[in-house]
Amino acid sequence: MDIKSLQMFQHLANSLHFAQTAQAFHVSPSTLSRTIQRQEESLGSSLLHRDNRTVALTEAGEQFKIYVDQQLEQWQLLKLTLNQKQAELKGKLHIYCSVTAAYSHLPPLLDRFRQQHPLVEIMLTTGDASDALEQVQQQAVDFAIAARPDKLAGRFYFHHLAQIPLVVIAPTIACSVQQMLQQQVLNWSQIPIILPEHGPARSRFESWYRKKQQGKPNIYATVSGHEALVSMVALGCGVGITPEVVVDNSPVKDRVQYLPQAGVIEPFELGVCCLTQRRQQPLIKAFFDAIS
């Protein structure tokens, strides 16, 4: 006898009306009748007197109702106790993410977690998204919002959040880069390119550029963080590959433009990552449970 079956009997014992109870539990009267029959078979006793007009509890039904009321009350008390224990979680959670992720993806996650565990203190560190897994591995933080690498080591647990498109951007201001982009056939080996120092976007660029078959790229600079990359492009220093969400949240987004003619670049997967061996620690487990 599962909890729902007990709840159905409790309701029927109070309503003494099959149609009302069936409607309350969104089941057919025949399904409700079979549920009661299974309870009677399990107990070896008839629980209800039934005829075409009335329903009444038998003596066994009265005794079973007392039992059911006690069990459901204990069930509610157990759930309340467990919920209170969850709400009383205390401590600190250390999170690492990029500045952009702190705007775009972290707020709704924290909102859900804080509703359930308001006493937990959140410690946030922002930096280059490419350093996220290293921060987790060194246990400088409890978890991070990170791009999933092509090969994720088993020591990491990864919870998917979103697919992140990558785009090629160029400056909108009048500059030498703009002049190069006006050519009918782009010579990518001459166009200055700004790259992230490392990470998934860097590997995506290398794969994308190889397909151009135009010799070595003209790398103007490598930078730490996509936010800095967008700023350098906006200043007219070159073109760059960056996640679309970084451009959308950049204060200089009106000074850059997308280059759809550059071709399709493989997106990457964004998620929340922690060490697998720490996944079941109370605070970390509570966070993943809240966002799942």
Side-chain angles (χ1 to χ4, degrees), residues 147-209:
R148 185 185 184 109
D150 295 331
K151 294 182 179 180
L152 183 68
R155 61 180 173 274
F156 294 112
Y157 171 81
F158 190 90
H159 175 86
H160 172 85
L161 291 178
Q163 285 288 110
I164 303 297
L166 289 168
V167 292
V168 180
I169 57 173
T172 58
I173 62 174
C175 59
S176 60
V177 175
Q178 267 285 12
Q179 294 177 355
M180 294 179 185
L181 295 174
Q182 298 305 316
Q183 300 173 9
Q184 289 186 347
V185 179
L186 298 183
N187 186 345
W188 285 100
S189 65
Q190 293 182 0
I191 299 172
I193 296 175
I194 304 162
L195 292 176
E197 291 179 344
H198 53 88
R202 178 65 179 257
S203 62
R204 296 293 194 279
F205 162 79
E206 292 169 352
S207 175
W208 169 81
Y209 190 83

Side-chain angles (χ1 to χ4, degrees), residues 22-168:
Q23 184 177 11
F25 285 87
H26 306 288
V27 298
S28 65
S30 59
T31 297
L32 173 61
S33 181
R34 286 195 297 271
T35 299
I36 301 303
Q37 288 173 1
R38 285 195 295 269
Q39 291 172 337
E40 290 176 329
E41 291 170 0
S42 179
L43 292 168
S45 299
S46 177
L47 299 175
L48 298 170
H49 291 301
R50 283 168 276 190
D51 58 33
N52 292 333
R53 294 186 177 182
T54 61
V55 176
L57 292 174
T58 64
E59 183 178 349
E62 293 284 0
Q63 295 178 7
F64 186 52
K65 181 179 183 302
I66 295 173
Y67 168 82
V68 169
D69 289 343
Q70 292 173 342
Q71 293 302 308
L72 293 179
E73 182 180 2
Q74 290 297 316
W75 172 252
Q76 293 299 327
L77 287 173
L78 175 61
K79 290 202 300 182
L80 179 62
T81 300
L82 294 177
N83 289 337
Q84 287 177 340
K85 287 183 178 179
Q86 288 180 342
E88 291 171 358
L89 277 176
K90 297 179 181 179
K92 295 181 180 180
L93 268 181
H94 294 257
I95 305 171
Y96 181 91
C97 68
S98 68
V99 172
T100 297
Y103 296 143
S104 61
H105 290 85
L106 185 58
L109 303 182
L110 288 185
D111 288 347
R112 276 182 273 171
F113 177 73
R114 281 174 166 149
Q115 286 176 0
Q116 299 179 28
H117 309 288
L119 301 182
V120 176
E121 184 178 356
I122 303 297
M123 310 294 291
L124 178 62
T125 300
T126 58
D128 186 353
S130 300
D131 295 331
L133 292 182
E134 183 179 353
Q135 290 284 321
V136 171
Q137 182 174 341
Q138 294 178 354
Q139 298 191 41
V141 297
D142 295 310
F143 56 85
I145 296 180
R148 185 185 184 109
D150 295 331
K151 294 182 179 180
L152 183 68
R155 61 180 173 274
F156 294 112
Y157 171 81
F158 190 90
H159 175 86
H160 172 85
L161 291 178
Q163 285 288 110
I164 303 297
L166 289 168
V167 292
V168 180

